[in-house]
Amino acid sequence: MAVASATPPFSPPFLSSPRHRHRRPDAISFRPFSISTPNCLQQLPLSLNSFHIFRRPRLVAEASIGDRESGGSTSVSDDEGFVGEDAAAFDLSEQKLTSWVYFTVILGVVLFVLNVVWIDNSAGGVGKAFLDAVSGISDSHEVVMLLLIFIFAIVHSGLASLRDQGEKLVGERAFRVLFAGVSLPLAVSTVVYFINHRYDGVQLWQLQSVPLLHQLVWLSSFVSFIFLYPSTFNLLEVAAVDKPKMHLWETGIIRITRHPQMVGQVIWCLAHTIWIGNSVAVAASIGLIGHHLFGVWNGDRRLAKRYGADFEAVKSRTSIIPFAAIVDGRQKLPDDYYKEFLRLPYLSITALTIGAYLAHPLMQAASFRLHW
C-alpha cells in the first residue's frame, strides 16, 4: 500500500476531512484562534457542526502562498511550526449537501457496476474467471494467496507511482476513477479468496481455546483501524466528487507513526495469523506486510518529490516505528493530544469497526456463495 495514495485491501475509508493545510508562510498576519467566551458560546452551534471546538487554543498564521497543488491561501500553526495538514479534521458546517448526494449516487453506481462486471457470475461477471486463471497456476492455496496479493500490489502501487504523470495526462478525477476502477475488483477478489480459504492451509498451531485470546484478537483488529491513513477519511476525494489531492499530514495518528496504514496492517495480520494459525494466514500476512513495507519507501519517495523541504520537515519530527519520534524527543505531544482523535471520522471508525465485527457472519456467507 502506498501510504499517500489510497486504501489497502482490508481497510475501508470513512469520512471526509476539510482541506486545512498548515504551511510555512511567505507573508504572515496573525489573528487569535477563537476560543470560548460567553458571547462566543451563544453563537456556536454546539452540535456536530462544532467539532473544531476540540482543537486547543493557539495563534494561527494566515499566509497567501502558491499552493503546490491548487493555489490559494493556507493556514499554519506557528507555535508548533506545522507545514503539513491537520489530520482527520472535519467541520460539518463546511460540507455541502449536494456533494454528499453526488457521493451517494457515485457509490451506488460503482457498487452496481462492480457487481455486474466482476462479482455476479450469472450476469457475466469476470471475477470468477480471473480467480480461476490465477488458481490454475498452482494447487497451493498459499501460492494463490500470494499471487493475488502480488497482482493487487503491482497494480495498486504501480498506478500510485504513476499518479503525477497520470493526473497531468487525464486530470485528477479521471485518474482517480481509473485507479479505483482497477484496484477495487482486485481487492475484492483477494479478500473473498482469503475468507473462503483461510482454513484450507496446513495447521501450524491451534490457540483458539486459549482464554481471552479472542478478545485480544478483536481488540487488536479494532486498534488496527485506528491506524488508518488520514487520507482514507476523505470520502469526497476518494469518490472524485472533490478534486483528489496528495496530502501531507502532520497531526493526529501521524504524530505516532508517519506510516499508520502499514502499522495497522501489521497489527491486523499478526492478530489474525495468531488466531487462524495456518499456512494460508501466514502467506496472506507475508504478502500484505511486504506490500505495505514497500509502501513505506514508495510513499516517502512520492511525498518527498511532491513537497520537498516541507516533507523533510515532517519526516524529521515523525517516525516509521510507532512512538519512536516521541521517545527520542523529536515529536512532543501536546497536553490535550487526545482531542485530535475526538473527531467525527474516528467516532465513525469506532461504530463501523464494531459493525464490521458483528457483520462477520454475513460477510462470510456472501463470500461462500460466490464459490471463489
Side-chain angles (χ1 to χ4, degrees):
M1 162 69 201
V3 299
S5 57
T7 60
F10 301 115
S11 303
F14 295 93
L15 291 171
S16 170
S17 60
R19 291 169 240 129
H20 288 234
R21 183 179 299 280
H22 301 287
R23 306 291 294 276
R24 271 195 299 267
D26 293 331
I28 303 178
S29 61
F30 288 96
R31 60 174 175 80
F33 186 80
S34 297
I35 58 176
S36 300
T37 65
N39 291 334
C40 292
L41 285 174
Q42 295 175 7
Q43 301 175 9
L44 282 173
L46 296 179
S47 65
L48 289 178
N49 288 355
S50 51
F51 263 84
H52 287 295
I53 64 175
F54 292 128
R55 290 181 180 174
R56 58 190 177 282
R58 62 194 182 200
L59 291 180
V60 176
E62 291 187 342
S64 297
I65 61 176
D67 188 278
R68 285 182 174 84
E69 297 182 75
S70 60
S73 63
T74 60
S75 59
V76 57
S77 172
D78 80 299
D79 60 333
E80 297 189 42
F82 283 138
V83 295
E85 296 181 65
D86 191 7
F90 184 89
D91 191 341
L92 193 61
S93 65
E94 294 185 0
Q95 306 303 307
K96 295 181 180 179
L97 179 60
T98 53
S99 295
W100 289 102
V101 170
Y102 290 148
F103 170 80
T104 304
V105 171
I106 291 172
L107 178 62
V109 171
V110 167
L111 293 178
F112 175 79
V113 173
L114 179 66
N115 182 65
V116 172
V117 174
W118 196 260
I119 296 176
D120 191 349
N121 300 327
S122 63
V126 299
K128 188 176 188 307
F130 166 74
L131 271 175
D132 289 344
V134 177
S135 300
I137 297 174
S138 174
D139 294 330
S140 168
H141 294 298
E142 294 85 353
V143 171
V144 174
M145 189 77 252
L146 285 170
L147 284 173
L148 287 171
I149 295 174
F150 181 74
I151 293 170
F152 173 83
I154 289 294
V155 172
H156 187 78
S157 294
L159 285 175
S161 298
L162 296 173
R163 178 173 180 171
D164 289 344
Q165 299 92 318
E167 288 182 345
K168 290 178 182 178
L169 184 64
V170 300
E172 291 89 341
R173 287 186 172 89
F175 187 80
R176 174 55 58 88
V177 171
L178 172 65
F179 181 85
V182 177
S183 298
L184 185 57
L186 297 176
V188 169
S189 296
T190 305
V191 172
V192 170
Y193 188 87
F194 175 78
I195 292 175
N196 287 350
H197 298 282
R198 69 194 186 282
Y199 287 111
D200 289 343
V202 177
Q203 197 67 37
L204 303 174
W205 58 81
Q206 178 54 263
L207 303 176
Q208 293 185 5
S209 61
V210 174
L212 299 180
L213 181 62
H214 179 268
Q215 290 82 352
L216 178 61
V217 169
W218 186 90
L219 180 62
S220 298
S221 299
F222 177 82
V223 170
S224 74
F225 282 91
I226 301 299
F227 281 86
L228 284 171
Y229 193 70
S231 290
T232 307
F233 306 140
N234 290 15
L235 285 183
L236 295 182
E237 290 186 24
V238 171
V241 175
D242 288 348
K243 184 181 292 187
K245 296 180 180 178
M246 186 186 297
H247 295 273
L248 181 63
W249 305 110
E250 190 164 2
T251 63
I253 197 68
I254 301 299
R255 294 182 187 269
I256 296 175
T257 170
R258 192 167 67 255
H259 293 278
Q261 201 81 58
M262 178 273 293
V263 173
Q265 189 69 78
V266 170
I267 294 172
W268 187 96
C269 286
L270 292 178
H272 283 74
T273 299
I274 291 171
W275 178 254
I276 297 171
N278 68 19
S279 53
V280 170
V282 171
S285 293
I286 290 173
L288 289 169
I289 292 174
H291 178 209
H292 282 73
L293 289 177
F294 171 79
V296 168
W297 170 82
N298 196 38
D300 278 357
R301 179 189 65 83
R302 294 171 58 224
L303 285 171
K305 182 179 178 181
R306 177 70 66 95
Y307 289 103
D310 283 353
F311 170 71
E312 295 301 326
V314 172
K315 182 179 179 180
S316 69
R317 50 179 172 259
T318 57
S319 62
I320 297 173
I321 299 175
F323 301 103
I326 299 171
V327 171
D328 64 24
R330 290 182 292 121
Q331 174 69 240
K332 182 179 179 181
L333 297 181
D335 293 337
D336 55 355
Y337 173 57
Y338 70 93
K339 292 182 180 179
E340 295 183 3
F341 292 89
L342 294 180
R343 292 172 173 176
L344 190 56
Y346 283 109
L347 297 179
S348 300
I349 287 175
T350 301
L352 290 173
T353 304
I354 294 173
Y357 172 76
L358 297 175
H360 261 57
L362 297 177
M363 292 187 289
Q364 292 168 7
S367 296
F368 294 154
R369 284 197 296 269
L370 290 176
H371 303 291
W372 285 4

